[in-house]
Amino acid sequence: MSVAPGLRRGDTVTAPTSRPATARPAERATTRRWARPQRSRAQWAGWLFALPALLMYAVFELRPILTAVQCSFYDWDGISAATPVGVANYTRVFTEPQLLASIVHSLVLIVFFTVLPVILGLAVASVVREIRSTWAGAAARTLMFLPQIIPGAASAIAWTWMYSPDGAVNQLLRALGLGSLTRAWLGDFTWALPAVGIIGTWLATGLCTLLLMAGIGKIDTSLYEAASLDGASRLQQFRAITLPGLRAEIGVCVTITVIAALASFDVVFMSTQGGPGYSTQVPGVQVYQLAFTENRIGQSSALAVVLSLLVLAVVLPLQRVFKEK
């Protein structure tokens, strides 16, 4: 057996370590120095990809918002020189009955745009879940979502015809022997706002139903089978399984429809234009009329800012309420 040069028989040979232990911190430092530029380049690449969208957002979203905030502190007709008025425009929003009433009307519309569609959507989605026929289920989903593909302005015009004195609504009431209830619904100071709200209910129910049906589809069916074996009724299954399982979807429905109610414009403008009188006036229509009919740009901007803050004040707490735990 040969012996390595420089060694004699009986000498103990110790296997050398691959790298000295003292070199590891230096190696880590070198690795970090190489990783930092790579990570930095990746971050810059991400920002470069997002840059076009950020520029579009800044030009078409942030700049108009900032301009509206600036105009809200001026008395300006859109042509002549603007005059600074401080917070006078905001004071008028909360003291002028006409402007304050428009905010109240938008809060009332939440009942028709949000509460009723969510309740109806839950009921319809629960019924459709029981339909075993694939064809019938698809037909039900299509019919419920149909109002969503119709523009809100077109829906408002169609409902205006239906609400007319000789329209479908009054003809149906006469056919049911309720002729004493017939009226010009959109011309009645008492019933005009609920009549406009029902248009919103018709538009929003399909969207809510579709979202809630998608949510029901992800609930484990074994939960319903176990509840049935334990003798739970349909109503008990709905309260114990369906409602908790649809927490996130209900939150989405409520958020979308609340924003639609507070910022409603097309349905109200095309059906009543805020009338009769100011009985259906809402902030969206009021902002348009102040700016383009009465040339009160500052007042219009102040109302638009208040409307935006109102939407945030209502929607942000809702996000916390419906946040999944």
Side-chain angles (χ1 to χ4, degrees):
M1 181 177 177
S2 61
V3 179
L7 292 178
R8 295 176 297 179
R9 290 184 184 278
D11 288 349
T12 301
V13 179
T14 303
T17 55
S18 58
R19 288 187 179 91
T22 54
R24 290 178 180 173
E27 183 179 343
R28 294 196 193 101
T30 304
T31 304
R32 284 197 294 269
R33 282 197 298 272
W34 279 101
R36 285 173 187 164
Q38 292 178 353
R39 195 162 49 242
S40 178
R41 282 195 294 270
Q43 291 174 348
W44 279 110
W47 282 109
L48 286 176
F49 279 114
L51 184 60
L54 291 175
L55 287 175
M56 296 291 287
Y57 183 80
V59 172
F60 295 104
E61 293 289 340
L62 292 181
R63 185 173 178 276
I65 291 174
L66 296 176
T67 303
V69 173
Q70 181 185 10
C71 290
S72 66
F73 295 103
Y74 288 85
D75 182 12
W76 187 38
D77 60 3
I79 300 175
S80 59
T83 304
V85 293
V87 295
N89 288 327
Y90 291 96
T91 304
R92 292 185 65 181
V93 170
F94 294 103
T95 57
E96 194 169 313
Q98 176 186 337
L99 300 180
L100 191 59
S102 67
I103 297 176
V104 175
H105 292 159
S106 67
L107 295 175
V108 172
L109 287 180
I110 291 177
V111 176
F112 296 95
F113 280 63
T114 303
V115 178
L116 292 179
V118 171
I119 293 175
L120 292 174
L122 283 170
V124 173
S126 299
V127 171
V128 172
R129 187 185 69 84
E130 302 293 336
I131 298 176
R132 301 303 178 189
S133 171
T134 305
W135 180 87
R141 287 192 293 271
T142 303
L143 289 175
M144 291 305 301
F145 193 69
L146 190 60
Q148 279 297 309
I149 65 176
I150 302 175
S155 301
I157 293 173
W159 276 89
T160 301
W161 295 338
M162 294 170 64
Y163 279 137
S164 65
D166 294 325
V169 174
N170 285 331
Q171 289 181 17
L172 179 62
L173 289 175
R174 293 190 188 99
L176 295 175
L178 301 174
S180 60
L181 299 179
T182 59
R183 66 195 71 228
W185 295 94
L186 296 178
D188 191 290
F189 280 84
T190 303
W191 290 100
L193 187 62
V196 171
I198 289 176
I199 301 175
T201 303
W202 182 74
L203 286 171
T205 300
L207 174 65
C208 293
T209 302
L210 201 68
L211 290 174
L212 296 173
M213 287 174 61
I216 287 179
K218 74 177 185 182
I219 297 177
D220 191 352
T221 55
S222 63
L223 296 176
Y224 292 102
E225 295 171 359
S228 299
L229 292 176
D230 290 340
S233 63
R234 299 288 186 191
L235 182 59
Q236 290 172 327
Q237 293 179 26
F238 177 77
R239 292 173 55 189
I241 300 174
T242 305
L243 273 183
L246 292 177
R247 186 186 185 92
E249 286 75 14
I250 293 175
V252 173
C253 292
V254 170
T255 301
I256 294 175
T257 53
V258 163
I259 294 174
L262 295 177
S264 58
F265 174 80
D266 51 355
V267 171
V268 178
F269 187 80
M270 296 304 296
S271 59
T272 64
Q273 296 190 4
Y278 296 103
S279 59
T280 61
Q281 191 64 273
V282 292
V285 176
Q286 188 76 70
V287 167
Y288 173 82
Q289 292 179 343
L290 286 173
F292 300 104
T293 304
E294 303 179 20
N295 295 330
R296 295 161 60 185
I297 305 299
Q299 188 68 73
S300 173
S301 300
L303 183 57
V305 172
V306 171
L307 175 61
S308 302
L309 295 177
L310 178 64
V311 170
L312 292 176
V314 175
V315 169
L316 291 181
L318 289 175
Q319 296 298 306
R320 295 184 61 85
V321 169
F322 290 102
K323 185 178 180 181
E324 285 187 313
K325 300 178 180 176

